[in-house]
Amino acid sequence: MAPESNYNEVFDASMNILEKITQHNALFSKSERKVAEVILANPQTAIHSSIATLAKMADVSEPTVNRFCRRLDTKGYPDFKLHLAQSLANGTPYVNRHVEEHDGPEEYTKKIFESTMASLEVARQSVDIPTINRVVDLLTQAQKISFFGLGASASVAHDALNKFFRFNVPVVYFEDILMQRMSCMNCTEDDVVVLISHTGRTKSLVEIAQIARGNDATVVGITSRDSPLGKECNLVLSLDVPEDTDMYMPMASRIAQLTLIDILATGFTLRRGNKFRENLKRVKDTLRGSRFDKKGE
Amino acid sequence: MAPESNYNEVFDASMNILEKITQHNALFSKSERKVAEVILANPQTAIHSSIATLAKMADVSEPTVNRFCRRLDTKGYPDFKLHLAQSLANGTPYVNRHVEEHDGPEEYTKKIFESTMASLEVARQSVDIPTINRVVDLLTQAQKISFFGLGASASVAHDALNKFFRFNVPVVYFEDILMQRMSCMNCTEDDVVVLISHTGRTKSLVEIAQIARGNDATVVGITSRDSPLGKECNLVLSLDVPEDTDMYMPMASRIAQLTLIDILATGFTLRRGNKFRENLKRVKDTLRGSRFDKKGE
DNA sequence: TGAAAAGTTGTAAATTTACTACATTTGATG
DNA sequence: CATCAAATGTAGTAAATTTACAACTTTTCA
């Protein structure tokens, strides 16, 4: 009589169910995974199919499809279709799909773009705005800013250097861990050290964090919150990006880190105000000498 | 900007069904209007109700509800529910919105994530698959691979180094333009030089392209096709990413470049086959010694 | 006005769809 | 190899949706 009881279900399932399917993948049984594949391959078709047709497409029995739906915390097949429809409506049918052995250039290109976008979407939802604001605060007030990362995160630090360098702020970046250590030994309480690491378990970075804090610098980690590195930081900007794929290379996580750098840099310029932005333009104009002019300029 | 006419077509096709109901109102019969009212009053409930409960709520018969659905150009009640569910999901597709002066952390964070995703979407559509395939071909056959970029693109080249280094292929990366030049002077026809530049108008990179080609190396540009640099390359992987924003910093273009590197690296490993991927895993495992173990491992 | 026509609505039966209970298979373990 | 647990499928059942048709309204025009 009072169907109002169903209200909440719609809301707490705000998570993209396609994303949920990929993340849940390990917990599925063999047949359930077949269902998942068929749905991911063509979600638009799935929402217009009955449980029978979908079962046939996945070459499993109908109850298997039903169990699949239940495992994703939906009430059953029709409820699952509603969630799926909502996910598809959301503009992003982007899903973190793994590249397969037999994929051709078209497939892997598509998959990588889509996984990257899906990861950014996840990152966007997980990032903590107040912390960003706090970090921007610190950066604008810093006497000196250092960016350190190793391995795949080195290029992220490198990129941060490039961005913040334009701001006319003393900014430091080293690849060499000894230089990193020495740099941190000279820190003061007005300095900010930003350490980048996806896993947060790189020993030398953890040590650097300790050294920097020992000298009263503020240490910001772009890393996982509960990691050894995260625990050593004053502030942690964590990005809950799904684990990277089969390819044994950091891909999506690093893109999310870079985007975060963009965000910090943007926050920085906004905080510094208009006059400061003119300065930025000047830096850009200076580069012109080293370039071929654009036609018509 | 797309012409108005196109806009409307798209709009019509994907129109919010709730709006459609209100607009259609005049064409409904008395009973159908009762159904419309009930649905509009509480759409969240509607999508979780069966045709029977909804009919009861509107105090009409079940076929009336069904006719109501058909009148809105849906296949029937379940199909109508799907449309309704999609309308209720707050679908905001990603758009490249510029950060404004007065934006707070929440706004600029959101805008940057969304612009980045929007740019990736554009990049995905503009990238030329056959060229990717061709470049992967070249890379797998190369004796030596070099990645060079300057300024903001330096970190992209840096990242490429990090990726390809794991493949146990001779790979070269320098920040210093003199080193870059010298390296190119020693090129042979079996070498591939990848040059990265968003604008493609950086003088010294163009010169490097000329040097490399002079030594019969294959030059691949990740740059704009019609740029001075593009014209010097054997192959150009161009990314039609919308011009970067007001912030006077390369942001989205660089993310697209990095994603392209991911794609090349993935193509590379796929081409090299399974056995090769084990090698990658070994590289990853080697890193373990420099890390704190994960709990439970 | 009133009778045919067109349109609206509801009842009941038919059909499709989804779900449950149970049986069979698979695979792991001692 | 026997045994148990998990996974999957079969078949039957319940539920929901749709169709067909009849009853009832409203409209139209002689």
Side-chain angles (χ1 to χ4, degrees), chain A residues 33-82:
Chain A
R33 218 163 290 150
K34 285 202 265 180
V35 178
E37 274 191 30
V38 170
I39 290 170
L40 291 174
N42 207 335
Q44 291 292 347
T45 310
I47 59 172
H48 290 108
S49 309
S50 71
I51 193 168
T53 38
L54 187 62
K56 205 171 281 177
M57 281 195 282
D59 194 32
V60 298
S61 69
E62 298 174 25
T64 300
V65 176
N66 194 272
R67 284 186 281 258
F68 168 86
C69 298
R70 295 246 163 95
R71 206 174 285 274
L72 291 159
D73 300 319
T74 62
K75 271 201 86 182
Y77 185 67
D79 188 41
F80 167 78
K81 281 211 290 190
L82 287 177

Side-chain angles (χ1 to χ4, degrees), chain B residues 75-264:
Chain B
K75 273 200 86 180
Y77 184 68
D79 189 41
F80 168 79
K81 281 210 291 190
L82 287 177
H83 282 262
L84 187 57
Q86 295 202 324
S87 302
L88 293 175
N90 45 342
T92 350
Y94 305 125
V95 193
N96 204 337
R97 283 158 63 213
H98 288 199
V99 173
E100 312 270 356
E101 189 69 42
H102 52 80
D103 283 345
E106 186 145 3
E107 284 88 39
Y108 65 72
T109 301
K110 190 173 180 230
K111 282 182 180 176
I112 291 177
F113 267 115
E114 292 187 354
S115 308
T116 306
M117 287 188 274
S119 302
L120 280 175
E121 177 61 38
V122 173
R124 179 170 82 94
Q125 282 164 13
S126 75
V127 87
D128 185 61
I129 309 280
T131 309
I132 287 185
N133 201 27
R134 187 86 191 88
V135 172
V136 170
D137 256 343
L138 288 167
L139 291 174
T140 46
Q141 283 154 32
Q143 197 103 87
K144 186 180 80 184
I145 305 173
S146 309
F147 292 100
F148 300 135
L150 293 168
S153 302
S155 61
V156 177
H158 190 165
D159 188 78
L161 167 80
N162 191 282
K163 286 235 156 49
F164 281 82
F165 183 76
R166 296 167 188 238
F167 299 158
N168 196 24
V169 189
V171 54
V172 169
Y173 154 80
F174 294 112
E175 286 194 63
D176 185 321
I177 57 165
L178 291 181
M179 295 295 281
Q180 293 176 357
R181 292 177 84 110
M182 287 193 282
S183 176
C184 286
M185 282 172 183
N186 293 324
C187 276
T188 73
E189 57 176 349
D190 296 324
D191 294 348
V192 176
V193 177
V194 182
L195 300 177
I196 304 160
S197 166
H198 178 47
T199 61
R201 298 202 302 278
T202 309
K203 281 176 190 166
S204 51
L205 268 193
V206 177
E207 290 165 18
I208 282 165
Q210 290 162 340
I211 295 170
R213 288 199 64 181
N215 289 307
D216 298 322
T218 308
V219 178
V220 176
I222 296 182
T223 187
S224 165
R225 193 179 310 283
D226 302 322
S227 65
L229 176 57
K231 284 173 189 150
E232 296 294 332
C233 295
N234 296 96
L235 278 168
V236 176
L237 277 169
S238 81
L239 290 167
D240 292 338
V241 171
E243 271 298 310
D244 281 310
T245 68
D246 296 330
M247 300 269 56
Y248 302 118
M249 286 179 290
M251 303 205 302
S253 64
R254 183 211 40 176
I255 300 272
Q257 289 169 351
L258 283 163
T259 308
L260 197 50
I261 298 290
D262 287 344
I263 289 166
L264 294 178

Side-chain angles (χ1 to χ4, degrees), chain A residues 7 10 94 121 159 254, chain B residues 42 48 94 121 159 201 254:
Chain A
Y7 261 80
V10 181
Y94 307 131
E121 175 61 37
D159 188 80
R254 181 210 45 173
Chain B
N42 207 333
H48 285 101
Y94 305 125
E121 177 61 38
D159 188 78
R201 298 202 302 278
R254 183 211 40 176

